[in-house]
Amino acid sequence: MKTTTLFRLGVVALAALAFAAGTRAEEKKDLTQPEINYQAGGSPLGAEPMYQSTNPKAPAMTLAEFELARKTYFERCAGCHGVLRKGATGKPLTPDITLGKGTDYLKVFIAYGSAAGMPNWLTSGEMDEKTVDVMARYIQQDPPTPPEFGMEQMKTTWKVIVPPDQRPKKKMNSYNIDNIFSTTLRDTGEVALIDGDTKQIINIVKTGYAVHISRLSASGRYLFVIGRDAKINMIDLWMEKPDNVAEIRVGLEARSVDTSKYKGYEDRYAIAGSYWPPQYVIMKGDTLEPLKIVATRGMTVDKQEFHPEPRVASIVSSHYKPEFVVNVKETGKTLLVDYSNIEALKTTEIGTARFLHDGGMDSTGRYFMVAANQSNKIAAVDLKEGKLEKLIDVGKIPHPGRGANFVHPKFGPVWSTGHLGDDSISLIGTDPKGHKQYAFKKVAELKGQGGGALFIKSHPKSTHLYSDTPLNPDPKISQSVAVYDIRDLDKGFTVLPIAEWADLKDDGAKRVVQPEYNKAGDEVWFSVWSAKNKQSAIVVVDDKTLKLKTVIKDPRLITPTGHFNVYNTQHDIY
């Protein structure tokens, strides 16, 4: 990349200083490309209006420069360094630190990265020289604060499209609802409802941007989806043509939603957690009317210091008690929120590990297995006793999705996770009664295709374990999946060329993501995810033979990513 003479001289003068500072970093690590791809994910907050700092000690910036830098920061940097730049998985970038470094020093770090994990934004081609200069000045300004989002703001976005008393009293369509798939169309702000029996699209439903997950009500009638822009859509699967019946925006950025599952409370409540503001909200389960908002700001589990923006990473609903399991990323706390009386809300706070992300139940539903990704741990939480069972060391940056449960020939029931930062798959024993000596220990480690794994999946009726690697920089790896025979794991994996089977006629990325079984457990669906202006597809594989079964192509399937089978999601089967 062409650089000016002045900038090149600055690099030469400061490179040694930058390298020395990098080697003194508290946490040295080699940042892999899959980690960069994952951590640099964009944030919807870049579009929100914010106040420009006028700190007299900071270098001058025009309004246009400030807006460019703010947008870039939320697109590239907020995932690591936090909305308020107080630090998350990355270091703090507040003026008390950055002003003393100076613009030239900061430009070197932004351009060339560091041994402590800073990506090389200039030399990788992700930023040009002008943007590097603007960002170096921007991080010396006081961080702009996004607006809060409370009850008043939520209620202005809340819409009941079809009131409960006007909805069908019985199922009005002939679809096998249990075998419907909800597939995220990431860049169009939609989900595709696909008939798992006929492989035909039932409806394309308008939603928030980049839907993160789909979850089912306890009854299986209502489908809830949440976008990264914190918009929730409630879809009635009983309608002649399933579609939205209610919606609400619960914040400015979010990832998680679920509903009450405990006996006697089925479909009564819904809950959603936000990245910004850091909070969760409990809503009516039939209309999404917001009832109670609870902030998650507080002290971290390790250093016992205040964190101003602990994001709600994931939420599941307990089958053992009327409780929501709320996982707070930056503080490292798992909250068991008792919804039996939301006017006098009781919460059990369990210290697990920092940087909680996603996870799922063990095969019995008693233990919730949640990844603390930057801590390289899995926390096993006992939902019956309401306590931390064990912290288990695993590979680099675990990312299980909901994980995968199966019975190992030696270790009995295990739950498993893949990793973003290495090629391992960790197996954790989950049977304290029948296999006590292996319970909540990493009992085995499989070798996968490479880092960049996002989802792993099995099924009680299957003898296979699938792992994707969509964030791996090698197209051969990102466009295929690894399959293991759980009866003979020592023989390694078989590679399925999913993107090749899709037979797409353009040069899109064709990343293969999120294996998902149908209800019967005899076929597995994969998204072949290309750019918005490229063709994508869904590939269906016969689980018994590992052969191609069918390819679903439709011009409406734009950037398909995650997909969720209604029955398996409703009953926590994975």
Side-chain angles (χ1 to χ4, degrees):
M1 176 176 288
K2 185 178 179 180
T3 56
T4 65
T5 302
L6 179 61
F7 187 77
R8 191 180 300 113
L9 290 174
V11 169
V12 172
L14 291 167
L17 179 60
F19 177 78
T23 58
R24 289 195 301 268
E26 291 180 14
E27 298 178 10
K28 289 191 62 178
K29 64 177 181 178
D30 295 321
L31 198 73
T32 63
Q33 189 60 44
E35 291 173 75
I36 294 172
N37 293 343
Y38 175 68
Q39 298 288 8
S43 165
L45 290 173
E48 296 297 328
M50 299 181 199
Y51 173 74
Q52 180 179 357
S53 164
T54 54
N55 188 333
K57 296 181 181 179
M61 297 188 76
T62 66
L63 180 59
E65 288 175 331
F66 181 85
E67 287 302 315
L68 169 64
R70 184 174 67 84
K71 183 175 184 292
T72 302
Y73 180 83
F74 284 104
E75 288 177 348
R76 300 291 187 186
C77 315
C80 278
H81 299 287
V83 170
L84 302 178
R85 306 210 307 260
K86 295 283 188 179
T89 53
K91 301 292 184 182
L93 294 176
T94 45
D96 59 311
I97 298 169
T98 55
L99 278 170
K101 301 294 185 184
T103 301
D104 288 339
Y105 182 95
L106 295 170
K107 282 163 65 173
V108 172
F109 272 97
I110 296 169
Y112 290 89
S114 79
M118 179 73 175
N120 53 322
W121 293 113
L122 178 70
T123 55
S124 69
E126 296 290 335
M127 293 184 187
D128 58 20
E129 184 182 329
K130 174 187 175 182
T131 306
V132 168
D133 174 68
V134 168
M135 294 306 295
R137 287 182 284 139
Y138 173 78
I139 61 175
Q140 296 175 72
Q141 310 287 332
D142 294 334
T145 303
E148 298 293 324
F149 206 89
M151 187 64 74
E152 180 181 356
Q153 289 78 18
M154 285 186 198
K155 286 196 171 180
T156 63
T157 71
W158 172 49
K159 297 178 183 177
V160 180
I161 301 163
V162 182
D165 61 359
Q166 296 178 26
R167 297 173 195 166
K169 302 298 185 289
K170 62 180 181 179
K171 183 169 166 290
M172 300 299 292
N173 58 61
S174 60
Y175 301 117
N176 177 8
I177 288 178
D178 280 351
N179 204 33
I180 288 176
F181 285 75
S182 172
T183 297
T184 296
L185 305 181
R186 186 186 186 278
D187 294 331
T188 62
E190 298 169 324
V191 294
L193 302 181
I194 305 176
D195 187 329
D197 295 346
T198 66
K199 312 300 188 287
Q200 299 298 308
I201 294 176
I202 297 169
N203 196 14
I204 302 291
V205 181
K206 290 292 183 183
T207 63
Y209 170 72
V211 162
H212 192 66
I213 57 170
S214 298
R215 289 292 183 262
L216 272 297
S217 64
S219 65
R221 173 177 179 172
Y222 293 110
L223 175 71
F224 296 80
V225 301
I226 188 165
R228 291 194 173 206
D229 58 0
K231 184 178 181 181
I232 302 172
N233 290 82
M234 180 180 178
I235 300 166
D236 187 355
L237 299 177
W238 279 14
M239 295 170 68
E240 184 176 354
K241 187 176 184 179
D243 209 335
N244 287 316
V245 292
E247 65 181 37
I248 190 173
R249 196 174 182 197
V250 295
L252 301 178
E253 184 175 4
R255 298 291 188 278
S256 52
V257 66
D258 212 333
T259 66
S260 53
K261 302 286 200 303
Y262 189 68
K263 185 176 180 180
Y265 294 89
E266 296 95 335
D267 296 11
R268 185 180 300 184
Y269 297 117
I271 183 173
S274 299
Y275 267 29
W276 187 270
Q279 61 193 29
Y280 62 86
V281 57
I282 299 174
M283 300 158 282
K284 283 187 176 180
D286 59 350
T287 64
L288 297 181
E289 179 184 357
L291 301 174
K292 194 173 191 69
I293 303 171
V294 181
T296 55
R297 293 178 172 102
M299 313 305 285
T300 61
V301 71
D302 50 3
K303 295 182 180 180
Q304 298 288 297
E305 60 186 16
F306 181 76
H307 199 290
E309 52 169 306
R311 298 171 284 184
V312 177
S314 58
I315 299 175
V316 298
S317 189
S318 173
H319 300 281
Y320 277 83
K321 297 177 183 178
E323 290 179 338
F324 292 122
V325 185
V326 178
N327 298 282
V328 186
K329 186 183 285 283
E330 278 72 28
T331 53
K333 294 176 180 178
T334 297
L335 310 177
L336 306 182
V337 180
D338 184 340
Y339 54 74
S340 62
N341 182 357
I342 66 169
E343 297 304 319
L345 202 65
K346 296 178 182 178
T347 302
T348 300
E349 181 182 288
I350 300 173
T352 45
R354 290 192 69 190
F355 312 118
L356 297 174
H357 194 60
D358 56 2
M361 307 286 191
D362 80 306
S363 58
T364 69
R366 174 170 175 172
Y367 299 97
F368 179 62
M369 314 291 287
V370 59
N373 54 20
Q374 291 295 140
S375 297
N376 301 328
K377 297 179 186 295
I378 296 293
V381 179
D382 185 340
L383 301 184
K384 182 178 180 181
E385 298 297 329
K387 65 183 180 69
L388 176 66
E389 184 68 30
K390 194 76 176 290
L391 282 176
I392 305 116
D393 291 320
V394 290
K396 189 177 182 184
I397 312 184
H399 195 288
R402 290 165 289 175
N405 290 298
F406 62 92
V407 179
H408 189 279
K410 177 180 178 181
F411 306 118
V414 297
W415 179 90
S416 50
T417 180
H419 299 84
L420 272 159
D422 64 34
D423 63 1
S424 69
I425 293 173
S426 296
L427 309 185
I428 297 170
T430 58
D431 183 18
K433 290 186 177 180
H435 298 78
K436 185 176 181 181
Q437 69 272 40
Y438 304 127
F440 306 110
K441 299 175 182 177
K442 186 174 80 169
V443 295
E445 185 174 276
L446 309 178
K447 182 178 177 60
Q449 289 201 86
L454 288 183
F455 299 100
I456 191 167
K457 194 62 63 72
S458 190
H459 190 279
K461 296 180 181 179
S462 173
T463 59
H464 292 125
L465 173 70
Y466 296 81
S467 176
D468 67 13
T469 41
L471 297 187
N472 195 285
D474 185 342
K476 290 183 179 179
I477 296 176
S478 66
Q479 294 180 8
S480 61
V481 298
V483 188
Y484 302 81
D485 185 337
I486 60 179
R487 299 165 298 184
D488 187 7
L489 291 167
D490 291 338
K491 71 179 182 182
F493 56 82
T494 299
V495 176
L496 301 187
I498 301 296
E500 179 183 320
W501 286 349
D503 192 28
L504 301 178
K505 302 301 183 184
D506 58 38
D507 59 352
K510 304 174 188 175
R511 289 171 287 187
V512 176
V513 63
Q514 194 157 346
E516 179 77 350
Y517 281 83
N518 63 344
K519 179 187 176 182
D522 60 9
E523 61 184 35
V524 186
W525 293 36
F526 301 89
S527 288
V528 183
W529 168 26
S530 283
K532 187 175 182 179
N533 61 344
K534 303 291 184 180
Q535 187 181 29
S536 293
I538 292 172
V539 169
V540 182
V541 173
D542 187 311
D543 180 61
K544 303 299 181 186
T545 64
L546 300 184
K547 302 296 185 182
L548 174 65
K549 192 167 185 178
T550 191
V551 178
I552 304 172
K553 293 180 182 177
D554 190 291
R556 295 172 293 173
L557 290 178
I558 299 170
T559 59
T561 52
H563 38 224
F564 301 83
N565 174 267
V566 164
Y567 184 85
N568 294 337
T569 304
Q570 178 187 357
H571 296 281
D572 291 302
I573 296 172
Y574 30 78

